[in-house]
Amino acid sequence: MRQLVILGASGSIGQSTLKVLRQNPGRWQVLALTAWRSLDAMVRDCLEFSPRFAVMVDETAARELASRLKAHGSQTRVLSGAKALCEVAAHPDAHSVMAAIVGAAGLAPTMAAVRAGKRILLANKEALVMSGAFFMEAVRDHGAELLPIDSEHNAIFQCLPEAIQRQPGFCDLAAAGISKILLTGSGGPFRYSDIDELASVTPAQAVAHPNWSMGAKISVDSATMFNKGLEYIEARWLFNAAPEQIQVVIHPQSVIHSMVQYKDGSVLAQLGNPDMCTPIAHALAYPDRISSGVEPLDFFSVGEFSFIRPDLDRYPCLALAMAACRQGQAATTALNAANEAAVAAFLAERIGFMDIARVNEAALQAFGQQGAGSLDDLIALDGAARARAHDLIEELSR
């Protein structure tokens, strides 16, 4: 059995990964589960899957987890701290690493897995948004295998020729006969709302995604379409695509997960019910196919498909992300850092919904033109952009 490490096991991607494992008993052994401090979930999952290691970044939670597992007679070894995340991600026995820690915190352990030459199931957008060039070079230099988990990038991956699939980050789309990547998105819960009403959007409204079940932060990013902006940046690095080779298309039904347009006029699309278990199952078993537990698509109940050009006045965060992608790595790093701070402040009801874009724009203007010659430079830039964002949040929340 192949051994699997799940970084971010208590989150929505981590839990969906465990659902796929339940559908396919005997194919994988869980080597390690990790979480920040989700104690009850980790106790439950450790008792069910019996991983060799469990990592809690929070040391207090780690001590409590160790105590509770010992009381159940579990042999799982509990580790703590951010360093332990990197250790299990690079463990010699690990075959695959599900990189599902949300935000910049997932970068270091994901990079550790890359440098150890693992198969990386990439659900952490920030690994590419913060360090796309460095990350893809590391994948190539260390012989790691990269498979995208985001439904959109997984869909694109499935629509590409195998030769392109095998050389992420350094492929030539035009030489493969590809003219454009069509990146679809639902448009979130406010795609038909009056723009003037968006300033009064509440956190509860923003996290109520019409199609997908996701965590609060990702749901807000979907509502602002910043999530699509991150995916735009991610697609640029994953598929070595120029900005003019990527087009965002709003598809409210969330059935077509993305498309690839070829020079001969053909458009290949990947379709399915909106459930993350499908791309997870695809990446876990690639190049084979296994059961994901997702109901097959019923075309007779889907109804009509519709497509909308994104209104950048409605989605200023998408416009900022596309602009940052054209500027370069420092710009995308600063923008991502500011957005994480802004979304947290919005969810805490400290700033308004449209203030998220204001915070993001300020960080992009302040740091977007800086140079970044190394990963350490980008990490320092990330911290500076967060500090600038927090200062602006303080001003807006007075």
Side-chain angles (χ1 to χ4, degrees), residues 49-50 71 85 141 188 202 204 228 239 241 266 293 297 337 358-359 361-362 385:
F49 289 94
S50 301
L85 293 177
D141 294 346
T202 66
K228 203 56 50 183
F239 307 116
S266 300
L297 190 63
R358 296 186 181 96
V359 173
E361 185 174 16

Side-chain angles (χ1 to χ4, degrees), residues 68 70 80 256 276 326 363:
R68 289 175 61 174
K70 183 178 180 180
S80 67
I256 299 175
M276 288 305 299
R326 290 189 292 271

Side-chain angles (χ1 to χ4, degrees), residues 88-107:
V88 297
H91 194 283
D93 292 341
H95 173 272
S96 301
V97 177
M98 172 59 74
I101 297 175
V102 175
L107 176 57

Side-chain angles (χ1 to χ4, degrees), residues 6 12 170 197 278 380 385 387 391:
I6 303 178
S12 59
F170 298 93
E197 297 174 356
T278 297
D391 288 343

Side-chain angles (χ1 to χ4, degrees), residues 190-239:
F190 310 124
R191 57 181 173 255
Y192 302 122
S193 300
D194 191 312
I195 293 178
D196 293 337
E197 297 174 356
L198 296 180
S200 61
V201 164
T202 66
Q205 292 172 319
V207 301
H209 195 281
N211 300 330
W212 292 91
S213 175
M214 304 180 292
K217 195 269 181 184
I218 299 176
S219 295
V220 174
D221 284 346
S222 178
T224 65
M225 282 199 79
F226 185 78
N227 200 45
K228 203 56 50 183
L230 292 179
E231 291 166 6
Y232 184 97
I233 298 164
E234 192 177 359
R236 179 261 178 273
W237 293 113
L238 274 173
F239 307 116

Side-chain angles (χ1 to χ4, degrees), residues 3-242:
Q3 300 207 49
L4 174 67
V5 173
I6 303 178
L7 302 173
S10 61
S12 59
I13 297 295
Q15 290 297 299
S16 292
T17 303
L18 294 177
K19 285 175 64 177
V20 174
L21 298 190
R22 293 186 188 100
Q23 286 285 321
N24 299 274
R27 291 184 68 104
W28 289 273
Q29 181 178 358
V30 178
L31 177 67
L33 297 175
T34 84
W36 187 267
R37 61 167 69 90
S38 300
L39 192 56
D40 291 341
M42 283 289 280
V43 170
R44 179 195 66 222
D45 294 337
C46 285
L47 292 177
E48 178 181 359
F49 289 94
S50 301
R52 196 187 314 175
F53 304 102
V55 179
M56 300 290 269
V57 178
D58 182 85
E59 293 188 10
T60 301
R63 288 193 294 271
E64 178 63 21
L65 176 63
S67 176
R68 289 175 61 174
L69 290 180
K70 183 178 180 180
H72 286 281
S74 170
Q75 299 300 307
T76 296
R77 181 184 173 193
V78 178
L79 308 174
S80 67
K83 183 180 178 181
L85 293 177
C86 297
E87 291 172 352
V88 297
H91 194 283
D93 292 341
H95 173 272
S96 301
V97 177
M98 172 59 74
I101 297 175
V102 175
L107 176 57
T110 304
M111 189 64 86
V114 168
R115 288 170 176 156
K118 305 301 182 184
R119 170 180 277 198
I120 314 298
L121 314 181
L122 188 66
N124 174 272
K125 292 181 177 65
E126 290 75 15
L128 290 172
V129 172
M130 283 184 64
S131 61
F134 299 111
F135 189 87
M136 296 311 301
E137 287 169 3
V139 168
R140 178 189 60 187
D141 294 346
H142 294 279
E145 185 178 11
L146 191 62
L147 295 166
I149 295 298
D150 268 352
S151 61
E152 295 82 0
H153 301 96
N154 183 267
I156 294 163
F157 183 91
Q158 293 194 50
C159 295
L160 292 172
E162 183 180 355
I164 298 294
Q165 294 177 348
R166 296 293 186 180
Q167 48 179 340
F170 298 93
C171 55
D172 187 336
L173 296 180
I178 296 163
S179 58
K180 191 177 293 184
I181 287 170
L182 301 171
L183 189 64
T184 63
S186 71
F190 310 124
R191 57 181 173 255
Y192 302 122
S193 300
D194 191 312
I195 293 178
D196 293 337
E197 297 174 356
L198 296 180
S200 61
V201 164
T202 66
Q205 292 172 319
V207 301
H209 195 281
N211 300 330
W212 292 91
S213 175
M214 304 180 292
K217 195 269 181 184
I218 299 176
S219 295
V220 174
D221 284 346
S222 178
T224 65
M225 282 199 79
F226 185 78
N227 200 45
K228 203 56 50 183
L230 292 179
E231 291 166 6
Y232 184 97
I233 298 164
E234 192 177 359
R236 179 261 178 273
W237 293 113
L238 274 173
F239 307 116
N240 194 29

Side-chain angles (χ1 to χ4, degrees), residues 325-346:
C325 187
R326 290 189 292 271
Q327 286 180 245
Q329 193 72 81
T332 58
T333 297
L335 186 64
N336 177 70
N339 185 72
E340 286 191 18
V343 171
F346 167 68

